């Protein structure tokens, strides 16, 4: 739950974890008010650790109040513990140095590839642990985790390499952190930038497409950006064209993520932050702007997606959404749809704001 107070303070609740964003004076006032209703075991403290992640802030300098400030989020300790648990459970496994969390494709299928894998009994636990990290602070793990999660109930010998490769990657890259930067001056020209993408029928085990999205809050003039959320998921039906899969992904990103984020920011900031949706498929863009596509007229039945609804959102001045074409090579959502090669993976990781932790 997220609660916005009239004085601008924001309270975030997740089960029994409380996080308050407020001025020093307001913070203690609110903690005292909440403390009359709830008995806390621990005293209030500055934000360092929350939901398994470590946060580092640039200190506020009153002499330069408008200076950009960054927040870095990392889960190095959590991931090291995950690797250590795996090695304790399966002693003798060697973790090589790798540059991506994706296994190398095998050219030839063998009958034994369909046998139950060595890690089948424990894969649900490992996949869940990886999923938690990928959702909180490690977008570079999102695709690899999604692939593992989709195989949990049918894990085979061929999938064993996927888990070993994943552990090898996080053992080597556990210190990667996600960094976002904004400045007070960015409030004048903020935009919610949405990057929906799809890998048309790219999952080797199904005919379904993979939808990916990345959402960030950006100052359009300064170029400062802060990552908000990301997602990787299978689409609910098989797409017959790239335009279809891209339109479905755009619908999920706009209606399921961008609009709720815009509503939250309106409550927090008192103004509508425009949405900029970047898509790398011209047919999908044209369909949204036209409000209809003869080739995609079946979408409401097969994918439960309404192009007309997307068009209404695009036309509504109160929402203030624009749709823009971006080449696939520069699209940040591409990182969340497919297993990229080492060079492209590294570039995409840096593009969304990841870097090796700075001491």
């Amino acid at each position: 739950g997220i609660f916005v107070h009239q004085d601008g303070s924001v309270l975030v609740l997740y089960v029994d974890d409380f996080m308050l964003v407020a001025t020093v004076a307001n913070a203690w006032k609110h903690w005292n008010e909440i403390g009359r209703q709830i008995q806390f075991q621990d005293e209030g403290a500055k934000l360092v650790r929350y939901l398994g992640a470590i946060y580092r802030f640039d200190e506020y300098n009153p002499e330069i109040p408008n200076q950009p400030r960054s927040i870095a989020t990392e889960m190095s300790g959590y991931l090291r513990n995950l690797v250590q648990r795996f090695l304790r459970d399966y002693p003798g496994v060697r973790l090589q140095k790798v540059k991506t969390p994706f296994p190398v494709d095998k050219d030839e299928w063998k009958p034994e590839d369909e046998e139950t894998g060595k890690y089948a009994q424990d894969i649900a636990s490992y996949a869940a642990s990886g999923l938690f990290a990928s959702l909180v602070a490690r977008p570079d793990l999102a695709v690899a985790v999604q692939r593992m999660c989709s195989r949990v109930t049918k894990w085979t010998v061929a999938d064993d390499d996927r888990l070993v490769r994943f552990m090898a990657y996080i053992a080597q890259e556990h210190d990667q952190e996600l960094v976002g930067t904004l400045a007070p001056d960015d409030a004048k020209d903020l935009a919610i930038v949405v990057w929906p993408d799809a890998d048309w029928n790219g999952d080797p085990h199904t005919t379904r497409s993979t939808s990916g999205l990345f959402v960030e809050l950006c100052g359009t003039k300064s170029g400062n950006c802060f990552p908000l959320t990301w997602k990787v998921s299978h689409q609910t039906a098989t797409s017959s064209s790239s335009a279809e899969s891209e339109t479905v992904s755009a619908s999920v990103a706009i209606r399921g993520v961008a609009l709720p984020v815009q509503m939250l920011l309106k409550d927090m900031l008192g103004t509508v932050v425009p949405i900029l949706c970047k898509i790398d498929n011209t047919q999908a863009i044209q369909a949204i702007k036209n409000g209809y596509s003869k080739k995609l007229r079946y979408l409401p039945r097969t994918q439960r997606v309404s192009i007309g609804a997307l068009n209404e959102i695009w036309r509504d001045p109160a929402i203030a959404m624009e749709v823009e074409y971006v080449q696939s090579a520069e699209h940040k959502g591409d990182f969340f749809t497919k297993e990229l090669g080492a060079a492209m993976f590294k570039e995409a990781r840096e593009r969304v704001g990841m870097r090796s932790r700075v001491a």
Side-chain angles (χ1 to χ4, degrees):
I2 300 177
F3 301 87
V4 182
H5 197 272
Q6 291 180 349
D7 63 17
S9 303
V10 180
L11 180 67
V12 180
L13 307 180
Y14 186 85
V15 191
D16 60 350
D17 290 313
F18 288 64
M19 179 170 65
L20 180 65
V21 183
T23 63
V24 175
N26 287 336
W28 294 115
K29 179 184 69 174
H30 292 313
W31 281 133
N32 289 333
E33 292 176 352
I34 297 172
R36 297 190 185 101
Q37 307 296 328
I38 300 174
Q39 183 177 354
F40 291 105
Q41 293 181 351
D42 302 313
E43 295 184 357
K46 289 185 177 181
L47 179 61
V48 175
R49 182 184 182 91
Y50 189 70
L51 298 182
I54 304 297
Y55 296 86
R56 294 188 296 103
F57 298 79
D58 284 345
E59 291 294 331
Y60 173 70
N61 186 348
E63 297 181 359
I64 317 176
N66 292 327
Q67 183 179 23
R69 298 173 66 197
S70 298
I71 297 178
T73 311
E74 56 98 355
M75 300 184 73
S76 178
Y78 176 89
L79 292 173
R80 285 200 308 269
N81 290 337
L82 177 58
V83 173
Q84 290 170 4
R85 173 160 68 92
F86 175 71
L87 294 178
R88 284 196 305 268
D89 291 345
Y90 297 95
V93 176
R94 294 185 59 188
L95 300 180
Q96 300 177 346
K97 290 186 177 181
V98 297
K99 296 183 178 180
T100 76
F102 311 123
V104 178
D105 291 334
K106 293 188 295 185
D107 297 330
E108 184 179 350
W109 174 85
K110 299 178 181 179
E112 55 266 30
D113 289 346
E114 296 301 316
E115 296 177 3
T116 301
K118 176 181 179 181
Y119 310 117
Q121 184 176 354
D122 299 316
I123 184 57
S125 174
Y126 292 128
S129 298
L131 178 62
F132 180 69
S134 73
L135 292 174
V136 175
R138 293 298 300 261
D140 57 324
L141 306 179
V143 171
V145 168
Q146 187 268 349
R147 295 287 195 262
M148 287 195 297
C149 288
S150 69
R151 300 291 299 167
V152 163
T153 60
K154 40 188 176 290
W155 194 265
T156 68
V157 172
D159 297 311
D160 284 343
D161 290 340
R162 186 172 293 279
L163 179 60
V164 174
R165 177 79 178 216
F166 179 78
M167 291 295 174
Y169 174 76
I170 62 176
Q172 180 175 325
E173 300 289 351
H174 60 82
D175 65 342
Q176 285 289 318
E177 60 184 10
L178 182 64
V179 182
T181 303
L182 284 174
D185 290 340
D186 291 325
K188 303 172 185 177
D189 50 74
L190 279 177
I192 302 166
V193 184
V194 187
W195 303 82
D197 196 36
D199 182 18
W200 179 30
N201 301 347
D203 190 322
H205 297 289
T206 73
T207 60
R208 304 291 174 83
S209 301
T210 299
S211 284
L213 65 88
F214 181 67
V215 181
E216 55 188 347
L217 190 63
C218 297
T220 55
K221 292 183 180 179
S222 68
N224 293 328
C225 289
F226 192 92
L228 297 180
T229 189
W230 51 89
K231 183 179 180 180
V232 181
S233 63
H234 274 146
Q235 295 185 3
T236 57
T238 300
S239 297
S240 59
S241 67
S242 177
E244 176 183 345
S245 63
E246 296 281 359
T247 304
V248 172
S249 182
S251 178
V252 172
I254 294 170
R255 301 180 68 180
V257 181
L259 290 181
V261 168
Q262 187 185 60
M263 293 169 62
L264 174 62
L265 290 176
K266 183 179 180 181
D267 287 340
M268 294 175 63
L269 304 177
T271 185
V272 174
V273 180
I275 298 171
L276 177 58
C277 185
K278 295 178 178 282
I279 302 175
D280 63 357
N281 186 284
T282 56
Q283 289 179 290
I285 294 174
Q286 201 60 46
I288 293 172
K289 292 186 175 181
N290 291 341
Y292 177 78
S293 171
K294 186 176 181 180
K295 292 183 178 180
L296 302 177
R297 60 185 181 274
Y298 52 83
L299 280 188
R301 291 188 177 182
T302 60
Q303 303 270 16
R304 286 175 168 72
V305 168
S306 171
I307 297 176
L310 295 176
N311 176 261
E312 290 172 3
I313 293 171
W314 176 66
R315 290 181 177 275
D316 190 342
I319 295 177
M321 184 184 81
E322 189 51 73
V323 181
E324 181 180 284
Y325 174 77
V326 177
Q327 293 183 355
S328 297
E330 302 173 358
H331 200 285
K332 296 183 181 181
D334 192 55
F335 191 44
F336 301 92
T337 62
K338 58 180 69 70
E339 299 180 349
L340 300 173
M344 294 181 65
F345 181 83
K346 184 175 184 294
E347 292 177 2
R349 189 175 65 186
E350 294 172 351
R351 198 177 294 131
V352 300
M354 298 199 70
R355 69 185 186 190
S356 294
R357 185 176 48 173
V358 177

